[in-house]
Amino acid sequence: MPDGYSLEDVLGLGLLASLLGISTDKLQEYVKDITTIQEIILQRLVFIIEVVEILRDACNPLGIPQWFTRERVQLNGRSPAQIFQGEWNPSDPESLKVLELARSINV
């Protein structure tokens, strides 16, 4: 995957918005004017970027969105995308499990 990628290129607008807990319309607003982004959405975005950066070393570009949507035993049968639903916070124990899961595939 080239270094000049965007999260939208990797995840698609719909999945990225879903992971952030916002609508695609709201995501497009933030893309146009990043200064309007809410603090919690910014925290989630930074966290997702960290996970994607880890996955870039282990997955091909098509594998990254699949990784987020595939159910995992380590997450009690849920997918990372299911963990990142609603009002999640990057410091939540479940969110940190997702980060550790991503790190484990690069070992």
Side-chain angles (χ1 to χ4, degrees), residues 69-85:
T69 59
R70 189 173 300 127
E71 294 174 350
R72 307 288 174 166
V73 172
Q74 302 91 327
L75 300 175
N76 297 319
R78 299 186 321 174
S79 70
Q82 289 170 321
I83 300 292
F84 299 148
Q85 290 293 306

Side-chain angles (χ1 to χ4, degrees), residues 7 11-23 27 40-41 44-45 47-49 51-52 64-65 67-69 79-89 98:
L7 282 180
L11 299 175
L13 192 63
L15 179 58
L16 179 56
S18 176
L19 294 173
L20 292 173
I22 58 176
S23 69
L27 179 56
I40 187 62
I41 303 303
R44 291 175 188 166
L45 179 61
F47 189 85
I48 291 167
I49 289 169
V51 173
V52 168
I64 294 175
W67 185 89
F68 278 98
T69 59
S79 70
Q82 289 170 321
I83 300 292
F84 299 148
Q85 290 293 306
E87 298 297 317
W88 68 276
N89 189 300
V98 171

Side-chain angles (χ1 to χ4, degrees), residues 3-16:
D3 285 333
Y5 77 97
S6 74
L7 282 180
E8 184 181 344
D9 292 339
V10 175
L11 299 175
L13 192 63
L15 179 58
L16 179 56

Side-chain angles (χ1 to χ4, degrees), residues 11-45:
L11 299 175
L13 192 63
L15 179 58
L16 179 56
S18 176
L19 294 173
L20 292 173
I22 58 176
S23 69
T24 54
D25 288 343
K26 192 61 158 174
L27 179 56
Q28 289 173 326
E29 283 180 34
Y30 290 150
V31 168
K32 290 177 186 171
D33 185 5
I34 192 74
T35 63
T36 63
I37 195 168
Q38 298 172 358
E39 181 63 29
I40 187 62
I41 303 303
L42 182 58
Q43 292 171 7
R44 291 175 188 166
L45 179 61

